[in-house]
Amino acid sequence: PAEAQEATDALVRAIRDAQPGATIVVPNGSYQDLALEFTGRGTAEAPIRLVAEEKGKVFLEGQSYLRLSGEHLVVEGLVFRNGYTPTSEVISFRTADDELCNYCRVTECVIDNYNPPERYESDYWVGLYGRNNRFDHNYLTGKRNQGVTLAVRLNSEESRENGHRIDHNYFGERPILGSNGGETLRIGTSHYSLTNSNTVVESNYFDRCNGEHEIISNKSGGNIFRGNTFHECQGTLTMRHGNNTTVDGNFFFGNGKPNTGGIRIINERQTVTNNYLAGLTGYRFRGALVIMNGVPNSPINRYHQVKDSEASNNVFVDCDHIQLGAGSDEERSAVPESTVVADNVFVNRNRDSLFTVYDDISGITFRNNLLDKNLVPLQDEGFERRPLKLTDAGHGVMLPAGTPAADSIRARIPTMATPENTGVNWYPRREEAQHFGTGQTIEIGPGENTLSEAVARSAAGDIIRLAPGEYLQTMTIDLRHPITIEAAGSEKPLLVFRKTSLLNIENGGALTLRGVHVDGRECLDQPLNSVIRTSRYSMVNNYKLFIEDCDFTNLDVNHSFNVLRVYKHTFADSIVVRNSSFRNVSGSVLPLDQENDDIGIYNAENVVLENCFFDKIGQAALHLHRGGSDESTFGPMLTIDRCTFDEVGTDEKWNRSESSVSLHGTQYVHITNSVFDDSAPVRLHLVVGEPVVLIENSVFSGGTELLDNGEPYRTQNLHLNLEEPVT
Amino acid sequence: PAEAQEATDALVRAIRDAQPGATIVVPNGSYQDLALEFTGRGTAEAPIRLVAEEKGKVFLEGQSYLRLSGEHLVVEGLVFRNGYTPTSEVISFRTADDELCNYCRVTECVIDNYNPPERYESDYWVGLYGRNNRFDHNYLTGKRNQGVTLAVRLNSEESRENGHRIDHNYFGERPILGSNGGETLRIGTSHYSLTNSNTVVESNYFDRCNGEHEIISNKSGGNIFRGNTFHECQGTLTMRHGNNTTVDGNFFFGNGKPNTGGIRIINERQTVTNNYLAGLTGYRFRGALVIMNGVPNSPINRYHQVKDSEASNNVFVDCDHIQLGAGSDEERSAVPESTVVADNVFVNRNRDSLFTVYDDISGITFRNNLLDKNLVPLQDEGFERRPLKLTDAGHGVMLPAGTPAADSIRARIPTMATPENTGVNWYPRREEAQHFGTGQTIEIGPGENTLSEAVARSAAGDIIRLAPGEYLQTMTIDLRHPITIEAAGSEKPLLVFRKTSLLNIENGGALTLRGVHVDGRECLDQPLNSVIRTSRYSMVNNYKLFIEDCDFTNLDVNHSFNVLRVYKHTFADSIVVRNSSFRNVSGSVLPLDQENDDIGIYNAENVVLENCFFDKIGQAALHLHRGGSDESTFGPMLTIDRCTFDEVGTDEKWNRSESSVSLHGTQYVHITNSVFDDSAPVRLHLVVGEPVVLIENSVFSGGTELLDNGEPYRTQNLHLNLEEPVT
Ligand SMILES: [Ca+2]
Ligand SMILES: [Ca+2]
């Protein structure tokens, strides 16, 4: 620490004393809690540089952060990791409200999973203020908490019409946040959106930036997005506010991944040209091309009408949805005006119908658009069908031969952003996802705490295989990496436990539980036990939970004994339960209802129940809650297939949901081939985002009701009001 | 670690090889995560001993715990601190369900604040199983999580009629838990309560064992409590279940502290004799002497009728409440039978009326009880009034001269339990309470993060004094010890901040904020900001929050901006707000409503609002919630005096409580000299424990309603339904 303090002091002195042309070297090493303030005035010819002694050997950790202000400053080669900023920004282009950067540059820096423990404590990784700054060749990956990754701020006169350049950065994976505030790039806010930012965003690579609906939230005027590549990103480049923005020559590769989208047009005089969009599956606000309805006389923060805008010379290959007049509702009734869609090419080898029209689109002029011959034209005027043949133009780009749009895109391929020409080449690229079954197999036998001992010596991806017999846990088990716990053979090992929970998915943890029998008979006689729980604290890492071929019995020593207990500000990518049974549970099986602030956040993205049997469950078998009116998220999404619910939700005192299955604000629901017998009602509360709901081929018997809030949804082949579940 | 492992291995070998008469020495040092298992068979003449090399120099820390089983084992001189048990017990007199202790002894051990981080993750510090074991001369202090400090378990035949002896222990402070499960000693559970435990509890010192209503929860038959001293304990020695228990020759010193109680009689053939009870102020279930009503044909876990019991020869000095037929309600309608109250002496120098009769007490025979001449007799029969003179009998005992009861107590004074003859003499006694203002004064000036820097270098009890000017916090401030933040002069310093909160009371922290002005104008435009919050995690330490002479303004940058945000499983001893104003707050001022499981737990014990002004508050100024039907706790308690509420609770969308003040399950409420104008309703939901409620000398105007759930409470001099708040 004394040495560290000396190094820091030397740095502070060097910065203070630096003259134009100076290079300040940050010695190799790991710096803890370093609040680095870099101020000075260089010149165009002689900037002041703050550079790592060696790239990849200078680490800022703990509660370190960097602020800079002045002119002609350059920062190069710093790595932020193993910590988070205690302030609102990791790298800030200002040191105070009125001390901003001009002509400053941050290049070849890395910010790697530099997240606070609190998912909804928001921060920016980079805040750009002032004018004429450049942020280039940086690598930012694994932002998991709320808050834009890179924000261009226009909150003072001195930051507008800024001419910033954001280029050649590699924006690595941003996992689904499950909330607004998961944008990778935002320029401006609604408040200043009618002023020009004049920011150029070019030649960046966006890799799986899945935080929310908006990969990029453009909220100001005069910006240019060109030559960027979007690789399997859920969401769209959204022109949310502001006018006169250009989106030209970008490449979108969806590769058929869910919710991948393209470009969303709102506001006036927007230009979308020469973009290549392929394999995008997203619908509604995540369409490959979305032209929105606006709000008449919109307040500054709602949707402004689309006017005088243009989408031309773009190529759409295997994109599933083009959305016109999207968002049309009572409030958003102002249809697009004086807008042109021209010279685009549409090819789709999987489906015949691409266009969805939500309102009057007579204000859009269609001209000279080409459709492959299998596609149904939106209308006659402005569309021509002819056989189009795709040819490989390199770099994964498939272009229809002989079209002007394809020609202009082909000309841009040599300079398109790739993993190789963006970011830094001296820092390893990370994979952010969790994987099961990639590690060693640990064989264990029955006994007291043999399971927790095995977990303690396990590593990520390991499989713990349990011989038949009884496993008693007198202590709880914390999972901090992905683990599979499974039966060694066909006989189900018996797991009993004495603490309030058996298995805890802590931050970074994930669980596959396969082929075991869990019984609650040894549990303490107290309410609120659970077999599995998430961390009681906020989890910034998303988790996965798979339960397969398991039996759960006698979880009823006291009231409100759950199979799973999740806590506020935890988020599951996937919860999948297959071929399992739940008998005599006093609480709930999957109560995913802990986000009770009703601001659009929720506990799980994908929930799948297949071939499960729920018998005598005191509270809701499933409670999935997403409250509020926010439209930024994809989920929650639910599938129930081949499940039986018998006497579920019967505890009149403690089943506060008064339901056997309660779905509130769920965005996608498919319930099929299932039986709901002698149970509390199945409740649907459909709000926000035109949820897609289908309930079919199912039986509701023994007084089990299907209740909804009056919003429309699809049903087919339902057997309602039966006395017994025979069909 | 290698050395540590060697020491542990040596210990394991020594235990394995020990023969009767062996002494196993635990070498001095701190052991981390040591799961010590001590098994063996000594003899009465030659026990096997496990002893510290030097007392006070062997520490078990981290996740260490001790289990023992066998015969004639002795453990001596271990200290558990800086950690908690990962299992359900710290010291367990069994190693498995069927491997118990007989004739084993644990003596001169210390368990000091050995608590898990989770308040409601329950454990026992000591679990006694088997028969004829002794637990003596130990020092247990600072148990703060849920779960009995010392439990005698009768859960198998081999643990009943056990003849255990629990003696000469010093039970140090147990802070208020705010829930059931805060007992210091429990013998049995309702399930086995009709069997005899035959445990002797003698000569122990109970110092401020305030966890809950029951200091001791006697739940079995044939136990003897004698010669124990109860010093300022909130609660009573409760004969909750089981029969034939003797409570003889104990000393209770309440010293006028709130909620201090004596002895509570339930069930049959209980004997309460020769006890000295002084300065006990508790009422209802915490009376100095409580004889309960029972439930006719009670289930095993409810209240059994009092029969054939006796309370005689006890002396009550300055005790405020003797409660007869207590708990009488529709369910508890079985009045006491064949019970004798005789030869007791009552003196009270502060009040004239001691007895409260809740039901028919004709089943109690009163005989030869003496009252000081100022006291109102319960009835003529069995009571004699005469002037009684108190004399100092030593050790703080004041006895009425010339009474047989006093004589028998005087004879017991020489052997009464004291701090000196209990526990250990080689380990310092702790004070568990938080104190403000005991440290240094740190003077600071305005600027960015000057406050957080001062807090970072502060120690417990320090005072940070702020010169006038503006203080900007770009980072949040964690308080981990008691701190006073106050204005240096009469001019209020201005505090602004940018994170989601300004000051966080983390576990161990406490705050006095005095003479400052807090403004929300710099806060991020996001919902759910707050000025002060508790830890987001469970807090096992109670905290205090005092706000005096402060102004709060413009906490309205977005919805639900609170002054205080508390989290689940945090607990305030006291929240006192005086001479302060709150203007333009979009959220709530004190939303103490996060314990939503409705199992009798709550967020704050004492809440006091004095001379405060609440103006334009979006949600409830105060929301105090205690749900459920549990009767184990003292609070919450509330006083509102000289406060004005104007336009409070007006956010129709986000004020879910639909109130300006919402009180649910509060046990004590006094609202006086206050004005409620143009506000959402004041709501009272009165449940459980005969809450004491008085609302007086107040004005409800501008449509502000006073709503209740139909339960009775006192009002006087209220001005309801005024148009304007002039009176
Ligand atoms: Ca957004
Ligand atoms: Ca109790």
Side-chain angles (χ1 to χ4, degrees), chain A residues 179-183 186 212-214 217 219 630 632:
Chain A
S179 166
N180 191 13
E183 304 88 350
R186 194 188 72 202
E212 59 140 280
H213 262 192
E214 301 174 297
S217 185
K219 293 186 168 178
D630 178 79
S632 310

Side-chain angles (χ1 to χ4, degrees), chain A residues 405-444:
Chain A
D407 292 342
S408 62
I409 287 165
R410 186 177 294 109
R412 286 166 165 84
I413 292 176
T415 57
M416 75 185 271
T418 66
E420 290 72 33
N421 64 20
T422 54
V424 302
N425 59 17
W426 44 263
Y427 193 88
R429 294 267 157 84
R430 284 177 63 102
E431 264 298 314
E432 305 294 349
Q434 294 177 319
H435 295 288
F436 289 109
T438 57
Q440 305 295 311
T441 298
I442 301 172
E443 309 267 357
I444 65 169

Side-chain angles (χ1 to χ4, degrees), chain B residues 593-669:
Chain B
D593 62 339
Q594 292 300 298
E595 297 296 357
N596 55 9
D597 292 322
D598 290 350
I599 52 172
I601 67 179
Y602 51 102
N603 286 121
E605 185 74 3
N606 294 289
V607 177
V608 177
L609 303 179
E610 274 181 19
N611 194 31
C612 289
F613 186 43
F614 303 89
D615 185 21
K616 297 192 177 61
I617 312 292
Q619 302 175 29
L622 171 67
H623 191 172
L624 196 46
H625 180 90
R626 179 189 185 284
S629 56
D630 176 80
E631 293 180 289
S632 309
T633 68
F634 313 112
M637 297 181 269
L638 168 68
T639 301
I640 298 179
D641 186 12
R642 286 168 292 130
C643 291
T644 298
F645 302 79
D646 190 13
E647 296 185 39
V648 173
T650 53
D651 184 334
E652 290 186 5
K653 178 167 181 192
W654 294 105
N655 182 19
R656 296 188 201 165
S657 75
E658 298 178 348
S659 55
S660 54
V661 171
S662 176
L663 308 177
H664 184 116
T666 310
Q667 295 293 289
Y668 172 92
V669 176

